[in-house]
């Protein structure tokens, strides 16, 4: 590994301890996503009946599985690039891209078939086929090109990468909301992906040198991927897949089992909770390359200090957004008869959204634990996934209140699980220092 220039990590530490513009862009990117997602829900509630809202939210939930299209490659590349010299990081990025292209072809096809299974069962005569097929194709292309942005972030371009991510989300959100307002809500997902792809092509054109294999064959690149990326990649994949199965799959299950109207009412609050978590986790997520680099350098004390500060502040933000969202939804139900028909009862709103801060804690701990390029929680998550999904599916059939209680309780259980592993890791860092 090429040694880091003197003072590189000390500057990173100083910057992370202070007010980081990178962190602000990261939060801004997720808040932009949250704002457009919330606005899209408002527009959908105002313009569509519950059955159409249920289909839209189910489409959104299934579209979230496109983040698995690279099989965890993006996060694994980020951790690897942040802990290696420039030349080795470039070779790994090229290996990741070469490997990702056939992977996303297969996973994009699987995503299309999986979505078709749910839509055929609950979407009735809605015209979902071409919007869903086009989204699967566009999101697959986006996944490959996102590796270029990840490489830039992991090799010293954190600020440029998150600034670009912010503008990606703003531009994609405008396109997304525009098509919903025009009544083409299922095409809005494809439009947002096309916008992101176009902006990556424009802003990161000089990084396309990564597609050049140079003197190395495809087989050599695949060998690099197998040795240096796959050992962490499969752990990222498993955890991400389990997280999506136990959160984003719930609305499509409601669509297929209870009908579009039920999926629309409860799904709106589930979607809002997911938005809150995604927005607040962006803060620790933007620190990923710093966490990995400091761990690699053996700077356990600095790593712990940065994490503690980020954890406390981002969790406070999560709790604040939870309270604001819950109060706003309850007031909307109490004062607007139309919204009262579109949303569940206030107790259900409070309990479902209460899960958001606990989901934030789990995600924040996961980001920190993965700085060691190892995920100790992957096996416990794998063991708990099927019972969790079974409990939530059963609870969904017994009523909204039961479902909300089970959803929140399980979020607490997972937060405690991650918290236990976090304390062990912090103790190891303290002893190592």
């Amino acid at each position: 590994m090429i040694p880091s220039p003197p003072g590189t990590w000390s500057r990173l530490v100083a910057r992370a301890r202070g007010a980081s513009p990178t962190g602000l862009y990261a939060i801004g990117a997720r808040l932009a996503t949250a704002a457009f997602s919330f606005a899209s829900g408002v527009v959908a509630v105002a313009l569509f009946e519950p059955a159409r809202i249920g289909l839209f939210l189910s489409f959104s939930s299934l579209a979230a599985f496109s983040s698995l299209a690279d099989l965890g490659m993006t996060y694994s590349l980020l951790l690897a690039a942040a802990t290696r010299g420039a030349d080795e990081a470039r070779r790994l990025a090229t290996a990741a891209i070469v490997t990702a292209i056939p992977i996303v072809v297969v996973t994009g096809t699987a995503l299309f078939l999986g979505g078709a299974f749910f839509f055929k069962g609950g979407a009735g005569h809605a015209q979902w086929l071409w919007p869903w097929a086009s989204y699967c194709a566009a999101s697959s292309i986006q996944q490959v090109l996102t590796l270029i942005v990840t490489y830039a972030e992991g090799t010293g371009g954190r600020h440029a990468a998150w600034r670009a991510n912010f503008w990606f989300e703003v531009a994609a959100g405008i396109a997304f909301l525009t098509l919903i307002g025009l009544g083409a809500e299922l095409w809005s997902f494809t439009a947002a992906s096309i916008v992101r792809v176009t902006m990556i092509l424009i802003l990161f054109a000089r990084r396309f040198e990564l597609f050049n294999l140079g003197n190395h064959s495809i087989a050599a690149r695949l060998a690099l991927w197998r040795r240096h990326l796959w050992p962490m990649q499969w752990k990222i994949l498993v955890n991400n897949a389990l997280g999506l199965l136990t959160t984003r799959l719930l609305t499509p299950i409601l669509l297929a089992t209870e009908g579009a109207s039920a999926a629309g009412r409860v799904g709106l609050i589930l979607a809002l909770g997911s938005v809150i978590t995604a927005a607040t986790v962006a803060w620790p997520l933007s620190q990923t390359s710093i966490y990995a680099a400091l761990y690699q350098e053996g700077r356990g004390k600095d790593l712990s200090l940065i994490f503690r500060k980020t954890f406390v502040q981002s969790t406070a933000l999560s709790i604040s957004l939870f309270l604001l969202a819950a109060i706003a939804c309850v007031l909307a139900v109490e004062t607007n008869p139309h919204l009262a028909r579109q949303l569940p009862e206030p107790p259900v709103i409070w309990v479902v959204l209460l899960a958001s801060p606990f989901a934030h804690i789990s995600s924040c701990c996961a980001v920190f634990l993965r700085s060691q390029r190892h995920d100790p929680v992957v096996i416990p998550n794998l063991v708990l996934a099927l019972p969790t999904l079974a409990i939530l599916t059963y609870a969904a059939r017994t009523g909204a209140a039961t479902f909300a209680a089970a959803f929140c309780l399980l979020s607490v259980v997972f937060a405690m699980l991650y918290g236990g592993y976090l304390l062990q890791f912090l103790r190891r860092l303290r002893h190592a220092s």
Side-chain angles (χ1 to χ4, degrees):
M1 184 177 72
I2 296 176
S4 304
T8 296
W9 301 125
S10 62
R11 289 196 299 272
L12 286 174
V13 171
R15 186 174 182 181
R17 283 175 176 167
S20 171
T22 302
L24 294 177
Y25 271 119
I27 296 169
R30 292 300 182 260
L31 287 178
T33 303
F36 284 112
S37 180
F38 179 76
S40 69
V42 171
V43 173
V45 167
L47 297 181
F48 309 144
E49 73 281 0
R52 193 168 171 182
I53 296 172
L55 176 60
F56 171 66
L57 293 176
S58 296
F59 199 106
S60 177
S61 294
L62 290 168
F65 282 85
S66 65
S67 63
L68 299 177
D70 65 341
L71 302 184
M73 183 87 74
T74 302
Y75 203 102
S76 181
L77 175 60
L78 176 60
L79 292 173
T83 57
R84 284 167 166 79
D87 291 339
E88 189 176 358
R90 187 181 301 109
R91 288 194 295 271
L92 287 177
T94 301
I97 290 172
V98 167
T99 310
I101 291 174
I103 284 176
V104 299
V105 171
V106 174
T107 55
T109 302
L111 179 65
F112 171 77
L113 295 175
F117 171 80
F118 284 99
F119 291 135
K120 283 183 178 179
H125 299 291
Q127 300 299 315
W128 57 267
L129 178 59
W130 288 112
W132 181 241
S134 64
Y135 172 75
C136 291
S139 64
S140 295
I141 296 171
Q142 180 188 324
Q143 282 290 336
V144 174
L145 295 182
T146 297
L147 292 170
I148 297 174
V149 185
T150 300
Y151 166 74
E153 179 184 355
T155 53
R158 286 179 61 245
H159 185 66
W162 279 102
R163 181 177 58 194
N165 282 328
F166 171 75
W167 290 113
F168 292 167
E169 295 308 312
V170 170
I174 291 172
F176 186 75
L177 195 58
T178 299
L179 285 181
I180 294 173
L182 293 174
E185 67 275 12
L186 298 188
W187 286 100
S188 61
F189 299 89
T190 301
S193 284
I194 291 174
V195 167
R196 292 188 184 97
V197 166
T198 303
M199 294 186 71
I200 292 174
L201 292 174
I202 294 171
L203 296 178
F204 292 87
R206 66 186 181 89
R207 301 280 187 175
F208 276 73
E209 63 185 20
L210 296 175
F211 284 91
N212 181 13
L213 292 179
N215 297 324
H216 299 274
S217 65
I218 291 178
R221 297 298 183 183
L222 290 174
L224 274 177
W225 162 73
R226 219 168 25 244
R227 286 198 306 271
H228 300 288
L229 295 177
W230 178 247
M232 184 60 188
Q233 182 182 333
W234 76 265
K235 299 180 179 71
I236 301 295
L237 170 63
V238 169
N239 277 331
N240 288 351
L242 296 178
L244 287 171
L245 284 172
T246 53
T247 55
R248 302 306 293 268
L249 196 61
L250 298 180
T251 303
I253 287 175
L254 286 169
L255 176 72
T257 59
E258 301 300 309
S261 295
R265 291 188 182 93
V266 181
L268 279 171
I269 304 303
L270 286 171
L272 180 57
S274 296
V275 164
I276 292 171
T277 302
T280 56
V281 170
W283 194 341
L285 194 61
S286 72
Q287 306 278 42
T288 299
S289 59
I290 290 181
Y291 291 165
L294 291 177
Y295 182 82
Q296 181 74 10
E297 293 285 316
R299 298 171 179 263
K301 184 177 180 180
D302 288 326
L303 177 58
S304 298
L305 287 174
I306 292 173
F307 169 73
R308 291 174 192 273
K309 180 178 178 180
T310 303
F311 177 81
V312 171
Q313 293 177 343
S314 63
T315 302
L317 177 62
S318 178
I319 294 171
S320 300
L321 290 179
F322 148 65
L323 291 172
L324 288 172
I327 292 170
C329 288
V330 170
L331 288 176
V333 168
E334 298 291 347
T335 58
N336 190 310
H338 175 67
L339 291 177
R341 292 191 296 271
Q342 305 286 56
L343 296 173
E345 296 292 323
V348 173
I349 294 173
W350 276 103
V351 176
V352 169
L353 291 181
L354 180 59
S356 300
F358 294 104
H360 169 86
I361 291 171
S362 298
S363 300
C364 198
C365 293
V367 171
F368 185 59
L369 289 169
R370 291 168 187 169
S371 64
Q372 54 192 317
R373 298 198 67 209
H374 170 62
D375 194 336
V377 198
V378 62
I379 300 303
N381 273 344
L382 194 59
V383 171
L384 293 173
L386 285 179
T388 297
L389 191 59
I391 291 170
L392 290 173
T393 302
Y394 175 78
R397 291 180 176 273
T398 59
T402 305
F403 168 79
F407 183 69
C408 186
L409 182 60
L410 288 168
S411 298
V412 175
V413 169
F414 277 97
M416 293 174 64
L417 173 67
Y418 272 94
Y421 280 95
L422 170 70
L423 292 176
Q424 293 178 21
F425 186 38
L426 288 173
R427 280 196 293 268
R428 288 203 306 272
L429 288 176
R430 186 167 56 250
H431 292 155
S433 300

